[in-house]
Amino acid sequence: MSVEQEQTERTIRCLVAKVGLDGHDRGAHVIARALRDAGFEVIYSGLHRAPDEVVQAAVQEDVDVVGISILSGAHNTLVPKILDGLKEYDAFDDRLILVGGIVPDDDQEELRGQGVDEIFGPGASMEEMIDYIHENAPER
Amino acid sequence: MSDLVADLLAGKHSALARVITKIENRSPGYREVISDLHQHTGTADVIGVTGSPGAGKSTLVDKVAATYRERGLTVGVIAIDPSSPFSGGAVLGDRIRMASNAGDMDMFFRSMSARGSLGGLSTATTDAVTALDAFGKDKIIVETVGAGQNEVDIVRTADTVAVLVPPGSGDDVQMLKAGILEIGDVFVVNKADLDGADRTVQQLREMLQGQSGRPNSGHHGATELAGDHGDASTDDADAVDDEPETWDPPIVETVANRGDGVEDFLNALATHGEYLDRTGRREGQARERFAAEIRTLLREDANELLVDELDRRGGIEQYVDAVIERHTDPYTVVDEVLSPLRECLDDPGDGS
């Protein structure tokens, strides 16, 4: 069986995670549904997760995509912790790390430098995100 | 042995997760992985938890897992959710309830989706349990919605099966009659602080007693016949008796979100475990399970061979055409397709 064939058959698994003291999960719910309707398997973390819980979920569920939703502005503190945890458990390299929320341009630069693959801000469309995942989901 | 298997046996969490992914996807090489892992299994205690949606399975499993962890045991949980029959996608939400074990890596929680093909799911579940067992988990919990034969098959992976019933579900209890009741080793009335809990316990008790004389004892289609003492309560179950010892499923009341009754539930599970060991039923169940697994794999693999053979012969459509034209009939077609296989197997001089 060719790798390509396997890729098309494989079900992509996504984690949608809400980290820290941020109670806004409307967007996360909408995204979880949209990803489901796109044929992905979505694991939703629930609200107020600590970074190590997100790491635990991402490792154990062996997701292809780690989607971190932060609307509280604490991304500079929380995202690096998640990235470090993923590296610690050898679960960083073959995973797509996405951040959704309100991230100022300067911070975006920094997060990308730390290993975040893409950042989706206000106004990003579902199609954009789903296409991005289809194109960039890691080969395993 | 592959690196993946070596990493799993060495206790690497990401390797365990990747093995389960391979199992789910049936990726090339997954069979070899399971084969390599098999010899390292047999130490885990497997508990199945089933019940209608909203019965509180995930919340109870969370508390149970936390209690085991306090006792120094390692835990693996497999939670199975339905997938959308339209998109194939799924939102797997059981993880939300896992609040008591947040960040604890030795509590391995994995969500699995039914992925539309329920038949294959029981095989995948069995293999995932194999992976967790080989990893060295002391307790493995398989959690699934109890809605029909396929779930019953999944739950058969377990040594002990717990069935959750929410209170005030008179009709649900009626529904339970139809299958789930026979496989329960322990019954749990969760949300026991709600109105109607007592009534539900009462209904369950009547129904279980009404089953006295069923060919029960363990579960999973036990072979020995229950004695005439089906009304005997658990208290005098150890009365001196030549009859094979039978198991009367206890009913436990819990309020899972507060943690009430969790100890009682664990005691009931432990008591059933002792019963399985004492009567040799644990071994019997393992034998039945492996027999069923071999049969299933044989059927699936033989089926695949036949699909290939049909393709080689030009696909099924031409046979259908011939049958519709009344040139032949389905039985003749099957005989024709199978005849080379039959000759192969009947010829003792060849390849034996």
Side-chain angles (χ1 to χ4, degrees):
Chain A
M1 192 186 283
S2 73
V3 177
E4 196 182 78
Q5 206 177 345
E6 204 188 320
Q7 280 295 312
T8 52
E9 283 172 11
R10 201 162 68 89
T11 304
I12 295 175
R13 288 166 71 89
C14 308
L15 175 67
V16 174
K18 289 292 309 179
V19 213
L21 298 173
D22 166 12
H24 302 88
D25 59 353
R26 179 65 148 180
H29 285 177
V30 172
I31 284 167
R33 274 199 68 159
L35 294 178
R36 181 199 68 182
D37 292 343
F40 301 153
E41 280 177 11
V42 184
I43 291 105
Y44 178 54
S45 71
L47 277 172
H48 308 310
R49 297 297 138 168
D52 59 347
E53 291 176 68
V54 177
V55 172
Q56 184 192 18
V59 171
Q60 296 183 346
E61 302 288 357
D62 196 23
V63 289
D64 304 276
V65 181
V66 181
I68 308 163
S69 160
I70 304 183
L71 299 166
S72 65
H75 43 264
N76 284 341
T77 323
L78 297 168
V79 174
K81 284 185 183 168
I82 294 173
L83 296 175
D84 288 347
L86 290 174
K87 285 171 192 159
E88 185 190 334
Y89 286 99
D90 202 8
F92 173 73
D93 291 335
D94 55 1
R95 244 151 274 231
L96 208 56
I97 318 284
L98 308 181
V99 170
I102 300 157
V103 182
D105 291 348
D106 292 353
D107 294 352
Q108 291 205 8
E109 206 62 31
E110 205 176 320
L111 290 179
R112 283 181 212 272
Q114 287 163 346
V116 171
D117 291 291
E118 191 54 90
I119 297 159
F120 294 93
S125 75
M126 293 296 168
E127 288 75 28
E128 206 180 307
M129 192 177 58
I130 289 163
D131 289 346
Y132 180 85
I133 292 173
H134 272 304
E135 279 163 28
N136 295 285
E139 288 195 16
R140 288 181 170 172
Chain B
M1 198 195 296
S2 66
D3 289 351
L4 192 58
V5 172
D7 283 349
L8 184 151
L9 293 173
K12 200 170 154 190
H13 297 276
S14 57
L16 172 58
R18 184 57 49 87
V19 165
I20 298 179
T21 304
K22 271 180 162 300
I23 290 166
E24 278 197 293
N25 290 337
R26 308 248 171 143
S27 327
Y30 94 95
R31 300 175 73 114
E32 288 75 17
V33 170
I34 304 299
S35 303
D36 287 343
L37 291 177
H38 179 78
Q39 58 173 310
H40 301 280
T41 61
T43 50
D45 186 20
V46 186
I47 300 153
V49 177
T50 186
S52 46
K57 295 179 294 296
S58 304
T59 309
L60 183 66
V61 166
D62 177 46
K63 295 290 194 262
V64 166
T67 314
Y68 281 140
R69 291 291 298 131
E70 278 166 24
R71 295 179 185 176
L73 300 167
T74 54
V75 183
V77 178
I78 299 168
I80 296 151
D81 264 340
S83 62
S84 159
F86 302 110
S87 67
V91 175
L92 308 171
D94 290 325
R95 211 178 172 99
I96 299 174
R97 312 267 173 253
M98 286 294 133
S100 308
N101 301 284
D104 176 7
M105 269 292 179
D106 283 322
M107 150 74 186
F108 189 98
F109 183 97
R110 182 61 176 252
S111 320
M112 279 170 70
S113 140
R115 292 198 180 171
S117 63
L118 276 168
L121 186 61
S122 59
T123 314
T125 312
T126 311
D127 292 342
V129 167
T130 301
L132 287 167
D133 193 347
F135 189 80
K137 294 294 179 195
D138 301 309
K139 301 280 179 186
I140 299 170
I141 305 174
V142 178
E143 178 202 325
T144 181
V145 175
Q149 185 59 45
N150 294 304
E151 269 74 14
V152 171
D153 285 346
I154 291 163
V155 149
R156 276 179 204 227
T157 319
D159 299 310
T160 301
V161 174
V163 176
L164 260 72
V165 188
S169 53
D171 290 344
D172 283 358
V173 173
Q174 290 298 320
M175 184 199 75
L176 285 175
K177 260 185 186 170
I180 296 285
L181 207 59
E182 290 98 38
I183 61 159
D185 300 309
V186 175
F187 287 86
V188 182
V189 176
N190 190 33
K191 309 186 186 181
D193 54 339
L194 295 186
D195 287 346
D198 293 346
R199 204 174 124 71
T200 303
V201 171
Q202 185 64 30
Q203 282 176 328
L204 262 177
R205 188 161 286 139
E206 282 166 15
M207 214 164 289
L208 287 168
Q209 282 172 356
Q211 290 210 324
S212 64
R214 61 183 169 159
N216 176 30
S217 58
H219 61 100
H220 312 168
T223 44
E224 69 262 58
L225 289 169
D228 292 324
H229 60 308
D231 287 327
S233 71
T234 345
D235 296 326
D236 51 338
D238 52 7
V240 186
D241 202 338
D242 284 342
E243 301 271 350
E245 188 183 348
T246 58
W247 174 257
D248 290 312
I251 301 167
V252 184
E253 291 178 59
T254 58
V255 184
N257 60 359
R258 292 207 304 251
D260 294 356
V262 171
E263 286 287 335
D264 293 344
F265 177 50
L266 290 185
N267 290 340
L269 293 178
T271 309
H272 185 257
E274 287 158 17
Y275 159 81
L276 290 177
D277 289 331
R278 193 169 58 236
T279 56
R281 289 278 320 147
R282 192 185 292 274
E283 203 196 323
Q285 285 185 10
R287 292 191 67 89
E288 282 171 28
R289 255 199 315 270
F290 286 133
E293 199 182 333
I294 293 170
R295 281 196 201 97
T296 307
L297 288 177
L298 272 175
R299 201 162 45 231
E300 284 177 7
D301 287 7
N303 194 32
E304 259 175 53
L305 286 178
L306 289 172
V307 168
D308 293 347
E309 174 64 14
L310 264 180
D311 286 346
R312 266 195 297 277
R313 286 166 177 260
I316 200 163
E317 289 302 326
Q318 48 149 342
Y319 287 112
V320 174
D321 290 342
V323 169
I324 285 177
E325 296 294 327
R326 302 298 188 273
H327 294 318
T328 182
D329 66 286
Y331 284 97
T332 311
V333 169
V334 170
D335 278 343
E336 192 188 318
V337 175
L338 285 183
S339 66
L341 180 68
R342 209 170 267 132
E343 280 164 24
C344 233
L345 293 175
D346 284 344
D347 185 1
D350 189 45
S352 61

